[in-house]
Amino acid sequence: MAAAKTKSRNILGRISYGIVTSLENAFHTYGSAISKRPFAFIVACLALTGLCSIGLINFTVEERPFKLWIPQNSDFMTVMAWQKENFPAEYRLHVAIYEADNVLDKSVILEMLRIHEAVANASTPAASWSDVCAKMPTITNSYFSRRRRSVSQEIASGFYSEPVAVPRAKRQNEDTDWSTVLDRDTYCGFYEKIDQECMEHSILELWGYDRTYIENLTPEEIIDDVTNEEKSAVFGFPTNFTEFLGDIVRDEKGRIIKAGASRQIWITHINLTAIDSGEFVDDTGTGMEVDKVSFDWEKELIDAVLDEKDRPEGINLYLMASSSFGMISQATIMGDVQYLAFGFGIMFMYVQVMLGKFNLVEQRPVLSLMGLSCVGMSIFTSYGICSAFGVPFGPVNNILPFLLLGLGIDDMFVIMQAWNNLDPSEKKEKLGERIGLSLKHAGVSITVTSVTDFAAFAIGSGTVLPALRSFCLYAAVGIAAVYAFQATFFVAWFALDQQRLEDKRHGFLWFWKPKNWTPNQCSQKDICQTFFHDVYAKYLFKLPSKISVILITIGILAVSGWGLSNLRQEFNPIWFLPQSSYLFKFFMKQEHYYPTVGEMGTIYFGKMNYFEEMPKLEELITRMEASDTISEVDSWFTKYKEYWEKQGFQVPEADENEEEFLDKLSIFLHSPSGSKHRIRNFRFDGIMNCTDPAPPILASSIEYRHHLFSNAKEQIHAMDSLKALIKEIGFDGEVNAWARIYSGWETDKIIEKELYTNMGLAMMVVFLVTLVLIANFYMSLMVLLCVIMTLIDVGALMHWWGLTIDTVSCIDLVLAIGLCVDYAAHVGHTFMKKEGSRDERARLTVATIGPAVLNGGVSTFLAFIFLANSDSHVFITFFKIFFGVVIYGLFHGLVFLPVILSMCGPASYLSIVDSSNGGRGEIHHSTQDPISDVEGKAALRNSEEKGVPTEPTETDSLTPVKNSEANGCVENGKDRSNGVALNNVSEGSEMVTVLLDPISERSNENTKL
């Protein structure tokens, strides 16, 4: 059995070695070809970018929330499509909240009146308030007396006279419903002559917007009216005016003596005829089609309400217009793109510092700029290809340039690290051969990380969330493009830049060759490289350090596991608003002053026999009112039943038929208590008038309000239970519950499943890709372990930093898988190519690839550091999550993984294959990562010269590596595979004996980085 296991391992070793060797040979050939014809490859890359950019002709920005955050096959989208076709929205709501120490103070009421008049006078060249407002009949109880009107209303209607105040006692005792007193013909005659007023609602309705009357009110009269009055003096409808107030204070008699906030509501009407003729605007915030005239007037409304020049001190006003969400969210995302310019600027300086040296010749500003240009080219390529295939561009996609900037710079650093780590014999080769060797050493590393990133996003593109799918497609194409451009365009420019450097020409002005130039001594120092070689690699692998690292990692993992268990799942479109915007402040004040107000919803009824379905309709309303998830039901049927029962009728009558029902419905809908339902709750197959039965009903609706819920679980339960109730009752027709907030609730319902599904699939693909490219099962598991621990830590950080599981964080976490695997994969791949004991291989790995990994992490952090100041939820979430990814990813990649590998690391590629050949040493040139085994020998000589002890200790004997212990761990406090491997490496007729020292010094011939 042991022999079979050894044979299986040897076969896997040969496969691993074959894969890595094939890739390295391919990159070697490719790099040499680029160095011979750099201009040809540069032109080819530019031509490819230009060709792909043609697709931008089809570039489409998708900003509609319902097309971004909700599965397109969800109930919400199905009902929304039905509603748009059968019950199109005709009204738009605009709300202002006034905040003051006491909004019942006359100064605040007069300010509300000033805003009322400003809105009434707001106009565009095409329309005024009276043209765009939704109107209702003013069936007031004081109809037969002079009704109070505002000056602005009378000017707008063409009638104006001095206002006449109705006596207070008379107004308070009028409760007659004239539709039940007068005969039908008489009432309808009056009804058809009744004026219609614009729908504006606030406590100002108590006094009919009468400025003179309001100016003469005493504090006691205001308190008395607000507490006791229950009907609108404008429309005559029963109205609960306390619902307009927030933070109410009552005295011992129950009177409202103070309130901290008051709401004012305007309702505009959508011109459906204009929409049918194509004269409409697609409001991205609400997903509604709005006629252009109304949409333009809404901008005047916003300006009029937010104008503060005449506002008294101590009064704050917060506004929500229906068009505000779309306007602000779009401006925020586009405005924050300015941070991309800052990111590119700081990255240019950082790359220039790290790639070049501080002297005239060895600085590399042009090469740094060309490396960053690869990111720009990949952006054009990604956007062009995806646009050509009709993939819309979502708001989250704006973080893609930051992602590509970080990943592209990471590949650049790895390539340059490979160049700087060429051994002395390789540095004597011709330039083309040296570039080929550099790409040979770096190619597999950047391929591992790029393919894993690409695979993670390719898997994510299969999600049902449109925004996530769009981002993953753009990201996958962008990552493939930046990988190709860095391996080609950057390498071609590097060949040219190196030719310039070796000819000792100026780093920026290539045509200038400084005379008698010699590098200054200061510019030859590399603090980062020195730190990793002389300090970090020396002390990290001491026993106390190893124990500390393991204990710290376990502690962080345990605490993070607790934090992750508390991570909430919640999605709220309001988060996409900047916190400094007037709309975000409005929602915060609404939540503060009206906390008990739950979310509103609508039940839509399609075409059916409403007379026969009345028992089911009554059952539905009764059970909804008894539900523990619904606080209020506003039903036309309830008011209809009360209206006729007050007159001594049963609903329905025993011998009643459908025609009689429609006749009674018409009478009710023209009464004071039913008029509002006629306007907003019915669609008829024909024109309705007061004296005739109602036409057949095509659709109707009832409104309801949920309780205020504390978490997503309660919200989802409330939504699902109502849908189940409707299904259980079994209407003979189309009946569906719909609320705008259900878009978020339905997303919450699936987002957690989508997140873990996508993350699981992405990690599986990452493991398979690393298994193929790193070609070692055990090492692939170690890399995957680092990814999992990083994600756990990041999840806990999300909880502590106030983030939740939503669509944006879901995207960022899938993205994080691709990024955090880079750190561990580079280290793991480099470790597999080193020879010696585990300790020695781990030290060499950290010393050689550590600077490149650290630079990659730092560059990624610098790419998005400016997003910390963003007002966008998308960018803030991106910053917080990627801050954690960089910190924890670097910790697990550069601290935890090397320590574990020094204790339990797998055997190297060369050792496995050499063992499978019976120890005959028949393997040719040793494969290398950014440092060669020959350099290890040179480093050993350097360390001896500096007095660094190189004699083997008790735990570092020169015992040859045994194949049977290749994958073992620490036993009895000692490394079972300790010692230095002495491998005879044959290359032609030359035999080189390689000796690796535990503390490797870098060769003096190596250049910076």
Side-chain angles (χ1 to χ4, degrees), residues 98-104 108 247 258-262 314-316 593:
Y98 297 83
E99 179 188 48
D101 182 60
N102 182 11
V103 294
L104 299 183
V108 181
D247 200 13
K258 185 179 180 181
S262 180
I315 301 176
N316 299 317
Y593 287 112

Side-chain angles (χ1 to χ4, degrees), residues 115-124 128-129 151-153 155-156 297:
I115 296 297
H116 153 78
E117 293 170 348
V119 171
N121 293 321
S123 64
T124 66
S128 64
W129 165 236
V151 173
S152 59
Q153 286 175 312
I155 293 175
W297 185 88

